[in-house]
Amino acid sequence: AAGEPPQVEFETETEEITAEPALSPEMEEADLSFASLQPDTPPVDEETPFDPIRDTHVEALDAIRRGALGDAEELLLRALRLCDERNQSDLSRGIIEYDLARVLACQADSDMLHRKERYACALDHLRSSLAATDGEIHFKFLCDLENGGAFHQLAVHPDFEPTVTDLMSLIQVA
């Protein structure tokens, strides 16, 4: 009819839309390497029940990442107190003690005045941690002894080198 706009029909084809696009092999490799850089802390979502020990430990790890070692030390000590109050497993306590030993060693590296006492305290927590975790963190400890690792300066300090060597001799890595 005259004066009416012409009728236009569109042909539509539906395509299946996937939630995640397929990654090329190069992208998958990059994705995996990025994942390896992420912290070891599990993601916390709204459905995860409140766990004051885990939450305090995660908060301490965040403080470490920010470089707030004093805050991290306080949080890790709080997590250890909570472990005692709640009769947590030796493994849970040992993992937290390991992180505390790392923090104390890093603080000692930059604190000439209190270096020896912080290193001694770090070694006490490290010794307890290695015993409590029954091999769970041995490889991590060996990596932290390498140049740039949290325990490297402690391991080469003349007063503590024999103790670190003794600890290393107790470790068997498969």
Side-chain angles (χ1 to χ4, degrees), residues 3-21:
E4 286 186 32
Q7 296 287 332
V8 179
E9 289 187 30
F10 293 99
E11 289 186 35
T12 59
E13 292 182 25
T14 58
E15 294 181 19
E16 186 176 325
I17 300 173
T18 58
E20 293 186 26

Side-chain angles (χ1 to χ4, degrees), residues 21-87:
L23 296 176
S24 69
E26 296 83 18
M27 289 298 291
E28 284 181 10
E29 206 172 294
D31 192 42
L32 289 175
S33 65
F34 178 73
S36 68
L37 297 174
Q38 297 305 305
D40 293 338
T41 55
V44 179
D45 59 27
E46 276 105 51
E47 294 180 22
T48 304
F50 176 70
D51 178 345
I53 296 169
R54 182 202 61 231
D55 294 348
T56 303
H57 189 203
V58 168
E59 192 176 342
L61 295 174
D62 287 340
I64 292 169
R65 285 184 201 94
R66 290 190 319 269
L69 298 180
D71 293 344
E73 179 183 2
E74 287 180 31
L75 289 163
L76 291 166
L77 288 170
R78 182 185 315 157
L80 288 173
R81 284 191 302 274
L82 288 169
C83 283
D84 292 341
E85 290 171 10
R86 296 166 182 262
N87 296 319

